[in-house]
Amino acid sequence: MVPPQARAAIHGTLLVPACRALARALRKPHPGKHLFFTNPSTSTEPPLPLLAGRNYRCQCGQPVFFRNSKCLACNTPLGYDCERGLLLPLMPGPHKGSWREWQAGAAPATPPPDDTQPPSLDEIPGQESAPSAAPAPSAEPDGEAGDDDAVPTYKRCLNLSTPASCNWLVAWHDPADMCRACRLNRTIPDLTNPEQPDNGYLWGRIELAKRRLVSSLILLGLPVASRMSEDPERGLMFDFLRSPVNGPHIMTGHNTGLITLNIDEADDAKREAVRKAMREPYRTLLGHLRHEVGHYYWDRLVAGTPWLEGFHQLFGDETLDYAAALQRNYDEGPPSDWPLHFVSAYASTHPWEDWAECWAHYMHMRDAIDTALSFGLSVDRFDLEFTPFTLGALYQPEHPDAAQFLTFINHWTRLTTMLNEMSRSMGQPDFYPFVLPLDAVGKLQFIHLLVTSGSWHGQEANEQEASQAAQAQGQEQAQEAPQGQPAG
């Protein structure tokens, strides 16, 4: 458990880059191999199984994007199905307020009008000024529950017409009004506060980043459930807060399933000022969220499991005094040899931060490579000079999928080399201003093995069986208790 007050917002995500020359020296190929790969790869397979990509098209053929709720070319409504990882063109469904994926033979001649009525600001659930409570499920939608003719039927997320501008879909039979991303919110900024009129704008930017985060988590098969309405013991929830004028500073952090984010991070000027003050090459909303959710998944997937042994081997002892480690980092800075072992300077602070930094990098890699391949951007056609990682860098080089993961890492190296040059050609900062040392590659493979193992499914089944057994035992004791006396 890491208290939120101990993890400052200015240290919440990916930080300082390593020396590129040093990292190149660290990548030692096996004897007999060329030092540099200078020819395009002949591989035609993706380095890892694709998720869903981010390349979408409307029914009219025009490109549409992850954030769109309507095609700008033909006005067809759009909605994101998070289970399938697809942005769908929509047509009215069989029930009032329902939607289905566009079918040319059944669609109306013209797209339906956008008649969504936005709720008043004080009716949007989760506002900071209102009592904290999970949004109440709506009544069963009009018409029969479920899908007709095996065709999925949807409704729009409640936050479609709020400042969150959520374009996600909800299954028609789901009693919740909010999608799987929005129902994770416990607290959102006060949208009625006249002293902070930009709260809605900042919240909308955060929600867009959070939807990208949650979509990747779902597609990776990771457990994603609301701590308020779905899994009160192990679920996830968010507080999006803003420091009051002349009040205490809101700290970004994670604490037992609750991720708190200071919404000032959505203000480009303020975030850039902090980035410069901290000498960070990179600071984004998505980076913050991926880092903090890494802490959540450490609690959820590593603590108390057989994976803890490997964590200790690679990352160290998490029982070391966390507050003291933070203070030492503030007072003395990172160790001088951190580029040899860590993905960032902040990762050297404590094993928990090393894990969260590596988790964020793994999420960046999976989503970026998947997006690139979905648009046909493949390193197979690149002619780049780079130093490849070899099996010796991996945590488990003997694993059956080790070669596949190695291809993934080297694919990432080539892709970011090209994208960094593209950014420089526009006078922009590097797309990926980091260098991976050998130790970080081993840690990334450990995270990959955990994510793709599905090991938590057995853990959840065991916990569910134990809970059911306890309930059954309690019922038996209640039946056996003498009349008029309390059971237990």
Side-chain angles (χ1 to χ4, degrees), residues 13 16 79 81 114 145 188 200 211 229 244 269 288 293 308 344 349 384 451:
T13 187
V16 184
D81 183 336
D114 184 3
I188 65 171
R211 289 195 293 273
S229 59
H288 274 305
V293 86
L308 195 57
S344 71
T349 303
L384 297 173
V451 167

Side-chain angles (χ1 to χ4, degrees), residues 11-19 279-282 291 329 333-335 337-350 352-361 432-437 439-440 443:
H11 290 99
T13 187
L14 312 173
L15 304 177
V16 184
C19 170
R279 300 180 181 179
E280 300 170 4
Y282 176 95
H291 175 102
N329 180 70
D337 65 344
W338 72 262
L340 296 172
H341 309 289
F342 300 97
V343 74
S344 71
Y346 190 57
S348 67
T349 303
H350 188 274
W352 272 329
E353 297 305 334
D354 192 10
W355 163 270
E357 291 281 81
C358 288
W359 179 279
H361 275 263
Y432 185 71
F434 301 93
V435 174
L436 299 176
D439 286 355
K443 296 169 185 176

Side-chain angles (χ1 to χ4, degrees), residues 336-420:
S336 59
D337 65 344
W338 72 262
L340 296 172
H341 309 289
F342 300 97
V343 74
S344 71
Y346 190 57
S348 67
T349 303
H350 188 274
W352 272 329
E353 297 305 334
D354 192 10
W355 163 270
E357 291 281 81
C358 288
W359 179 279
H361 275 263
Y362 178 77
M363 295 294 296
H364 283 324
M365 293 174 182
R366 290 300 302 265
D367 200 4
I369 287 179
D370 202 55
T371 300
L373 291 176
S374 73
F375 280 93
L377 182 61
S378 172
V379 298
D380 296 337
R381 296 186 292 275
F382 293 176
D383 186 3
L384 297 173
E385 179 181 290
F386 86 109
T387 311
F389 290 106
T390 61
L391 287 172
L394 301 185
Y395 163 60
Q396 289 186 0
E398 74 287 354
H399 192 277
D401 296 330
Q404 184 185 48
F405 181 78
L406 188 65
T407 300
F408 168 76
I409 287 294
N410 285 327
H411 186 111
W412 176 251
T413 303
R414 301 179 76 185
L415 179 65
T416 53
T417 298
M418 187 277 295
L419 292 176
N420 283 346

Side-chain angles (χ1 to χ4, degrees), residues 31 42 55-56 171 219 303 378 419 474:
T42 58
N55 185 8
Y56 316 109
L219 293 171
S378 172
L419 292 176

